[in-house]
Amino acid sequence: MKRLKQILSRIDGKGYKAYKDIQGEYRFPRFQLMIDYVQGDPFAAPSRIRVRMPQSEAKYPASWYETPRRKQALEDWIARVWAEKTGRYSFRAKGTGKSGLIGVDRPGQEILPRTAAVVNDQFVEVRVTIGLPAQGRRVLGRKAEEMLCDYLPRLVDEATPADSIDRDGVEERMKLVDNQGAIRRFLSERGWIAFVANGSVLPRESGISDRPLRGKNVVQFQAPKSMEVSVDVPHGDPIRGMAIQDGITLIIGGGYHGKSTLLNALERGVYDHIAGDGREYVITIDDAVKVRAEDGRRVEKVNISPFINNLPFGRDTVRFSTEDASGSTSQATNIMESLEMGASCLLIDEDTSATNFMIRDGRMQRLVAKGKEPITPFIDKVRQLYEERETSSVLVLGGSGDYFDVADTVIMMDEYLPYEVTQEAKEVAQSQSNDRTQEGGEHFGDVTARVLSGKSFDARKGKKEKVDAKGLHSIQFGTSTVDLSGVEQLVDVSQTRAIAEIMRLIGKKAGGGKTLRQLIEEVYQEIEGKGLDVVSPFRGQHPGDLALPRQQEVAAAVNRLRTLRVD
Ligand code: ADP
Ligand code: MG
């Protein structure tokens, strides 16, 4: 610390570049400070530092990080404490550019593996970004000293050791994630799709907020008796709620009665949520994928022939490519790409589907002969998908009773409460005979794994490599922009940043005859072994603003890269 003070006093008033001299490691009474990267000027991306407190000071009980789930939840907790404290009363230095800024990557409603904090037997480490104070482009050495040598140690004291981070809160968090894990195991042991606990609050505050809706008009979830199960959890009483089994589940009901809200909660249930979110016990199997229509997207040699055939001009649908997909071809593509990655459940909402992809009724079949219609509607494929490939579907469909014939379970939403109406739906289906003809053929058809060409990924922009997230739904990859607005289960911009980095790694591995799925799995094996830090260009130093995406979202991004080439 003394050495840091000396350097700061020496460079006080000099040009900003002089700050580079403070790069290095310093010993403070209770922690170690690593200044990994010093920004080039006051307006540039902020500097990156790490503080590392040994467990002899932090004193975390080993039980807080003894399982991967607990460790991940604890690291998330620490990132939250830091993000909150730095956001609330940040060090304010008057000065130019980012002077005085202190920040830690802030988690949202989900508990994700992230790189902002690390806990192990030896230490607790937090990755922080700071703006080194400047007046004009001159070093404000005194201010920097105040920031790094007074303010920072106080922050470390308040936001790191076990005694100052709300022990009870952490203990509660541990119980929560243990219970969430138990429900996930419950589902996977049975091969089921999802669980929604009684009392859950599904609606969100607004279309742009992920916080729970509050107030007296909120209707808490209550399982229909016929679908209610009780799950034993390690902490507290068994949790009761609605289980969605594998197969084909239909969510019907009047407009504005909460169908999409339920489906959205299921989409997000692939992640664990924090206490108070309202969805903390809404759990969906990890690899469920929301698929929607996404016209305008690019497609590179995807086998969409299970759904689309006989396109005008004899266009190939076994290796289908386009720069500008239609609603139905994009939805078919999104499904086939999800299956390529092994999705075991599809989540589909009428609000974001192409009508002609979902249904084709008897009258239309009569007027437009099968030979003139390239699309085989999803209704004729959904059972094959389940019976031959064990891929379930949960469908929101308020507008067509044709699906009653193919559904295993029908849930009706009525004033935000679910009722099971499978029996009634089957009776309607029997009494009102349907004059549709099955168009799905004998089998679902093939899901074709694609081999990526090494030429697909050029991360260069000018002479340098440049990959980054431009917000939650956009990635800049070299000179191309990847549009992820149709990828609805991406929840955190830190995931988007991680995807950008993972794509860079995939680009380095591609070309050896490996399929997209193999390439992604290889990167995830590395992450499994060494932690998410491995995907960062700052690995070993400060990879502090990444969160783990699912393999499905990585594939989605690669699939939307406009330079992607399949051999
Ligand atoms: P649908 O898909 O059936 O047309 P939505 O799911 O879009 O209906 O819900 C319509 C509105 O009702 C939304 O504004 C949503 O926030 C609200 N809503 C949904 N579920 C609940 C609930 N359980 N309690 C209160 N409001 C809800
Ligand atoms: Mg809806």
Side-chain angles (χ1 to χ4, degrees), residues 254-261 349-352 396:
Y256 220 73
H257 277 256
K259 303 184 296 295
S260 297
T261 304
D349 192 332
E350 60 186 353
D351 294 347
T352 49
V396 168

Side-chain angles (χ1 to χ4, degrees), residues 203-204 213 217-220 254-262 351 416:
R204 298 295 96 188
L213 183 65
N217 291 331
V218 175
V219 179
Q220 297 190 357
Y256 220 73
H257 277 256
K259 303 184 296 295
S260 297
T261 304
L262 172 57
D351 294 347
Y416 309 128

Side-chain angles (χ1 to χ4, degrees), residues 163-178:
D163 288 334
S164 50
I165 59 167
D166 180 11
R167 266 174 181 277
D168 295 346
V170 176
E171 296 286 350
E172 281 306 307
R173 162 70 66 93
M174 295 300 142
K175 291 179 185 167
L176 174 66
V177 298
D178 288 351

